[in-house]
Amino acid sequence: MTDTPAPKSTQDTAIVSSAHLAPVTGDGWQLSELEYAMTMTFHAFQRWMTHCMKAVGYNDFNPLDILVLHHINHRAKEKRLSDVAFVLNIEDTHTVNYAIKKLVKAELIEGRKIGKEIFYSTTQTGQDVCIEYGKIRQACLLDAASANGRDFDEISHIARALRNISGLYDQASRSAASL
C-alpha cells in the first residue's frame, strides 16, 4: 500500500511572481499571484501595441508613445502634457514629453500654444493611424476574443478590479516613499 500525497492547497500551486514575497501562511500570496499575472499581461500588452502599430506602418514607436497617441486622439479634445500624464497615471512627465516630441516629429500630433500652455491634438494623419490601428485591433484581437467565447462583461469586471487595485499600489507607493 502506498501513501497518497495530500492534495496541494491553492497557495502551493499558485503561480507567483516571487515565492520569497508570498507569505507562507495566511493571506497575501494572492497579491504575488496577481503581480505575476499583471507582469505577464503588461508585457503581452506592450508587445501587442508595438506589433499592431508596426502593422499600421509605424515601426519606431514604443508602448508609451502609442498610449500617448491614442490618449491625445481620445474624444478629439486637445490635451496638455500634464493631462496626458495624469490620465495615464505617469509620474515622470519627462517620459510623456519625450513621447509627445516623437509624435510631433512624425506629424501624428501637433501642438497649439494658448497662453503659457501647449495643447496637443492629433493631425489628420494621426487620426488615420488611430483608425487603422482600431481596424487591426478589431480583426486580430476583438474578433479572436469573440470567436473564443470571451465574456466581455467579465473583462469589464476585471478592469474595474484592476483600477481599484491600482489605488492600493499607489497608496503603498506613497507609504514606501515616506520610509
Side-chain angles (χ1 to χ4, degrees):
M1 187 158 142
T2 61
D3 289 333
T4 306
K8 291 188 174 200
S9 69
T10 304
Q11 180 180 356
D12 293 333
T13 59
I15 300 173
V16 298
S17 64
S18 301
H20 65 278
L21 299 178
V24 177
T25 59
D27 288 333
W29 59 268
Q30 298 92 337
L31 282 174
S32 189
E33 184 178 32
L34 173 69
E35 290 161 359
Y36 183 70
M38 287 191 308
T39 299
M40 300 302 291
T41 304
F42 174 74
H43 291 292
F45 181 57
Q46 287 191 324
R47 227 178 358 266
W48 154 251
M49 286 189 295
T50 56
H51 285 292
C52 190
M53 196 66 163
K54 286 177 184 176
V56 175
Y58 289 84
N59 299 323
D60 298 328
F61 293 113
N62 65 43
L64 180 58
D65 303 334
I66 298 163
L67 288 171
V68 169
L69 172 64
H70 286 293
H71 181 64
I72 289 175
N73 190 61
H74 181 60
R75 298 193 176 152
K77 291 172 64 177
E78 294 179 314
K79 294 160 185 86
R80 301 171 300 164
L81 179 143
S82 60
D83 299 328
V84 176
F86 177 74
V87 168
L88 296 178
N89 199 20
I90 298 171
E91 190 173 308
D92 299 324
T93 57
H94 70 279
T95 60
V96 176
N97 190 45
Y98 183 68
I100 286 173
K101 287 180 181 184
K102 285 173 65 177
L103 294 165
V104 167
K105 185 176 180 182
E107 299 180 353
L108 298 178
I109 66 171
E110 59 192 0
R112 183 170 69 99
K113 193 167 187 171
I114 302 174
K116 293 182 179 182
E117 299 274 8
I118 300 176
F119 288 78
Y120 296 95
S121 59
T122 48
T123 62
Q124 185 60 54
T125 302
Q127 292 170 28
D128 293 344
V129 165
C130 289
I131 289 168
E132 287 305 308
Y133 185 104
K135 289 177 183 176
I136 292 169
R137 183 176 186 273
Q138 179 68 48
C140 296
L141 183 65
L142 299 179
D143 290 350
S146 293
N148 288 327
R150 293 285 181 215
D151 181 345
F152 287 94
D153 289 335
E154 181 184 24
I155 291 170
S156 180
H157 175 75
I158 292 166
R160 283 191 302 278
L162 286 172
R163 286 191 301 273
N164 288 332
I165 289 169
S166 74
L168 175 66
Y169 279 93
D170 279 340
Q171 181 58 46
S173 176
R174 284 188 289 279
S175 296
S178 69
L179 296 178

